[in-house]
Amino acid sequence: MEHLSHKEKITIMIAIIAAMFFAAVNQTIVGNALPKIISDLGGLDYYSWVFTIYMLTSAITTILVGKLSDIYGRKPFIIIGIIIFSIGAFLAGTSMNIFQLIIYRGIQGFGAGMIMSTAFTAVGDLFAPRERGKWQGAMSAVFGISSVFGPTLGGYIVDNLEWKWVFWVFLPLGIVALVLIWKLFPSTVKKAGEKVDYLGSVFLSAAITTALLAFSWAGTKYDWDSVQILSLFGALVLSLIIFVFVERKAVSPILPLDLFKNSIFTISNIIGFVIGVSMFGGVMYVPYFIQGVLGYSATHSSFLTMSMTLGLVFASALGGQIISKTGKYKMQAIIGLFISAIGLYLLSTMTVETSQYLLVFYLTLVGFGIGIGMTVFTLTVQNAVDQKLLGVATASSQLFRSVGGTVGVAIMGTLLNSRMQDKMASMSQTGDTNQMAASPELAGKLESLQNPQLLLDHEKLDGLKNTLPQEAIPFFDNVIHNLQDSLSYALSGVFIFVTITMAVAILLTFFIKEVPLRSAKDQPSVKKENTIKTGKLQSNEN
């Protein structure tokens, strides 16, 4: 589609961005609203499944649709994705219990996977490699904007309207996006001789499912060495072995294994995985520090973390423009990841005395660095493969990053709990704690005070404090201070870990071969390198 006029491309991109924003904001709007929804529907024990099922279905759909869109074109899948997502959103608003909500969120996930997979790939269809940077930066900014706008609107809706409007408020935007895609997006003819790899799809889906469930539940719902988690990891290994065997025999594999012989493709995806571990895992625990250690409310926390999002939005747009103008990307990636690593390290130095203004500065560094650096790696993957494999390559990039985030959250959850227990065990030997245990007024409440989760529930904490006699308040304040110190110590270890993983991503970036980006004025070379041709990998000089 590179032959289309500039005006036609811009119009199509407006339609794609509308579809992406529709999916992204519907995902982020649920976060602040879910506690209220759960209080109405019940089923707190199944709370995490509202997120887990969405992640599972979207991850599976992303990689499967990536290959299918290479065969049938992008348009059918982005249209079907919008329709499925809209149906899921409408049904979610009609949920009568938690199980219905989980099912309908799973339907939304299927639609979201189709939209996201085809949207990012469409940029590669429309624009030459050198021009893709600014548009992928703009699309990354859409996620940033939705993560600022969505939670705020979700909180407002549940406070002032019925919670079902969280799912329904953007349905008109979905209809607009559907009409725009239907009218403006070019149709393509199915590639002759291509067959759908059903068997490979089954075992790849099984591998993704078992991996995400294992890392989602490990250290939280079940111990890492439990029968359940070990069984899931065993199923993961078996699924991968069978998948590799099937793909070697497949005529048109769902994920061509020859792609991994391409060093640019492989290293870029490994970096995406590592960035996922660092970014998604680390960022998730920043609100723990703001609310648990510094003692701010959830609303105040969202305003502070907004600084990171705004930094990411600005840097994504800026980084994309720089790539499009210079045609260079490797040094930009290194600089961006280095800036984010500095920000993550500074987060590890925070204590109870850290000011919110200093925290905002640290978060801005993290967001700006990720925005500058992360955009690069979808571009390197797309630039490393032949046009006919653009969909599956782009989808693989999104999948590796998503799985990395899941793995990161699991590892850091275990690290947080371990360091928290160690710190609290060492503090339990202090005279103050023993004196507190001996106090008749506090003896019955001591056990509840040892729960770090109490720091995140400020209303419960204040209520508990108000029930104590005046002479017991100093003991109470001391225990809370110890809990804050313990949580700060545990989070410091988490942020050190994500700093190290980001450093690994920086080192890996040095090994990426920088291939000059072709502009629209250049003609694609007849002989491509670093691409798959006739089943063999060669190097790409685009």
Side-chain angles (χ1 to χ4, degrees):
M1 293 191 286
E2 285 186 36
H3 65 279
L4 297 174
S5 69
H6 182 70
K7 182 179 180 180
E8 289 174 319
K9 291 180 181 180
I10 297 298
T11 307
I12 294 170
M13 283 305 302
I14 291 173
I16 291 173
I17 289 175
M20 274 193 58
F21 182 75
F22 172 61
V25 77
N26 268 279
Q27 181 179 356
T28 61
I29 199 173
V30 176
N32 280 349
L34 196 56
K36 172 64 176 176
I37 296 173
I38 295 297
S39 70
D40 286 350
L41 297 181
L44 183 60
D45 292 342
Y46 301 96
Y47 182 97
S48 63
W49 266 103
V50 178
F51 296 100
T52 302
I53 193 68
Y54 186 96
M55 178 180 63
L56 274 174
T57 54
S58 61
I60 292 171
T61 310
T62 295
I63 191 66
L64 298 184
V65 168
K67 175 60 179 180
L68 292 174
S69 70
D70 284 334
I71 300 175
Y72 296 97
R74 322 297 175 204
K75 184 174 182 177
F77 294 101
I78 195 168
I79 288 176
I80 294 172
I82 293 173
I83 293 173
I84 292 176
F85 192 91
S86 299
I87 291 173
F90 175 78
L91 291 175
T94 67
S95 300
M96 302 298 292
N97 55 59
I98 188 65
F99 301 107
Q100 288 183 357
L101 180 61
I102 290 171
I103 292 171
Y104 300 151
R105 284 289 286 172
I107 294 173
Q108 277 191 288
F110 280 120
M114 291 186 182
I115 294 170
M116 297 305 176
S117 177
T118 50
F120 276 96
T121 307
V123 176
D125 293 331
L126 288 166
F127 300 99
R130 186 161 175 172
E131 298 172 320
R132 293 171 190 167
K134 61 183 179 183
W135 287 107
Q136 288 177 347
M139 293 170 75
S140 296
V142 169
F143 283 98
I145 293 170
S146 67
S147 66
V148 173
F149 182 61
T152 304
L153 180 61
Y156 176 83
I157 289 175
V158 295
D159 287 341
N160 298 277
L161 302 169
E162 293 186 54
W163 60 259
K164 64 184 179 182
W165 288 103
V166 166
F167 299 100
W168 292 353
V169 67
F170 284 108
L171 284 178
L173 178 60
I175 296 173
V176 172
L178 178 64
V179 173
L180 289 174
I181 295 293
W182 186 282
K183 294 287 187 181
L184 302 175
F185 204 98
S187 299
T188 55
V189 180
K190 176 184 179 296
K191 291 183 179 179
E194 293 278 1
K195 295 182 179 179
V196 178
D197 179 16
Y198 294 106
L199 196 57
S201 300
V202 169
F203 286 103
L204 179 59
S205 299
I208 294 171
T209 301
T210 51
L212 293 179
L213 288 178
F215 284 108
S216 295
W217 289 343
T220 53
K221 188 177 179 65
Y222 304 105
D223 293 332
W224 282 87
D225 59 352
S226 65
V227 173
Q228 292 87 345
I229 298 302
L230 292 178
S231 298
L232 284 171
F233 280 125
L236 167 61
V237 173
L238 181 61
S239 298
L240 285 175
I241 291 173
I242 298 176
F243 171 72
V244 170
F245 177 79
V246 169
E247 294 303 272
R248 287 180 179 274
K249 304 292 185 181
V251 176
S252 182
I254 193 74
L255 180 60
L257 299 181
D258 281 345
L259 280 171
F260 292 96
K261 296 178 182 177
N262 183 329
S263 63
I264 298 177
F265 175 88
T266 301
I267 295 175
S268 295
N269 278 326
I270 293 174
I271 293 172
F273 175 87
V274 175
I275 291 176
V277 171
S278 186
M279 183 182 71
F280 293 111
V283 168
M284 177 180 176
Y285 288 101
V286 170
Y288 274 62
F289 184 89
I290 297 173
Q291 298 176 48
V293 178
L294 299 183
Y296 291 117
S297 66
T299 301
H300 194 84
S301 173
S302 66
F303 282 115
L304 292 179
T305 54
M306 190 182 297
S307 59
M308 181 178 63
T309 304
L310 294 175
L312 189 150
V313 170
F314 174 76
S316 295
L318 176 64
Q321 291 290 339
I322 292 173
I323 291 174
S324 294
K325 288 183 178 180
T326 65
K328 303 290 185 181
Y329 52 84
K330 184 173 180 177
M331 187 51 63
Q332 176 177 312
I334 293 171
I335 293 172
L337 298 183
F338 182 73
I339 292 173
S340 65
I342 292 175
L344 291 169
Y345 172 74
L346 290 173
L347 290 177
S348 73
T349 66
M350 295 189 301
T351 65
V352 179
E353 287 76 29
T354 300
S355 72
Q356 59 180 323
Y357 304 105
L358 203 55
L359 172 61
V360 166
F361 173 68
Y362 297 164
L363 291 176
T364 303
L365 281 180
V366 174
F368 186 87
I370 291 174
I372 285 284
M374 191 175 65
T375 307
V376 167
F377 298 103
T378 299
L379 182 63
T380 58
V381 167
Q382 290 184 340
N383 195 45
V385 302
D386 191 85
Q387 187 75 21
K388 67 180 182 180
L389 294 168
L390 201 60
V392 68
T394 306
S396 70
S397 177
Q398 296 172 320
L399 176 65
F400 273 87
R401 196 175 300 158
S402 175
V403 173
T406 305
V407 173
V409 169
I411 293 174
M412 278 170 264
T414 301
L415 180 62
L416 180 76
N417 292 332
S418 175
R419 287 176 64 89
M420 192 82 185
Q421 291 171 5
D422 291 344
K423 187 68 173 178
M424 290 179 65
S426 66
M427 285 185 169
S428 67
Q429 305 302 318
T430 64
D432 288 334
T433 304
N434 291 330
Q435 185 179 3
M436 180 180 173
S439 171
E441 295 85 356
L442 296 179
K445 297 184 173 69
L446 177 59
E447 184 176 351
S448 65
L449 286 174
Q450 300 303 309
N451 181 9
Q453 292 293 328
L454 191 63
L455 295 174
L456 303 178
D457 192 339
H458 298 153
E459 290 184 6
K460 184 177 181 179
L461 199 61
D462 292 339
L464 181 60
K465 186 175 182 177
N466 292 333
T467 64
L468 300 175
Q470 189 63 36
E471 61 271 18
I473 298 300
F475 296 111
F476 175 89
D477 291 339
N478 185 65
V479 170
I480 297 304
H481 182 74
N482 286 343
L483 282 176
Q484 289 174 325
D485 280 344
S486 298
L487 184 57
S488 178
Y489 170 80
L491 288 170
S492 177
V494 168
F495 294 131
I496 284 290
F497 174 78
V498 297
T499 302
I500 293 172
T501 57
M502 190 62 76
V504 172
I506 295 171
L507 291 175
L508 288 171
T509 305
F510 281 99
F511 292 95
I512 289 184
K513 178 183 177 183
E514 186 168 33
V515 180
L517 298 178
R518 174 177 59 83
S519 69
K521 297 177 182 178
D522 302 323
Q523 290 298 322
S525 57
V526 176
K527 181 182 179 180
K528 292 193 172 204
E529 294 187 330
N530 275 342
T531 58
I532 304 287
K533 279 192 170 184
T534 63
K536 300 210 171 178
L537 190 71
Q538 302 171 354
S539 65
N540 189 341
E541 296 186 357
N542 280 345

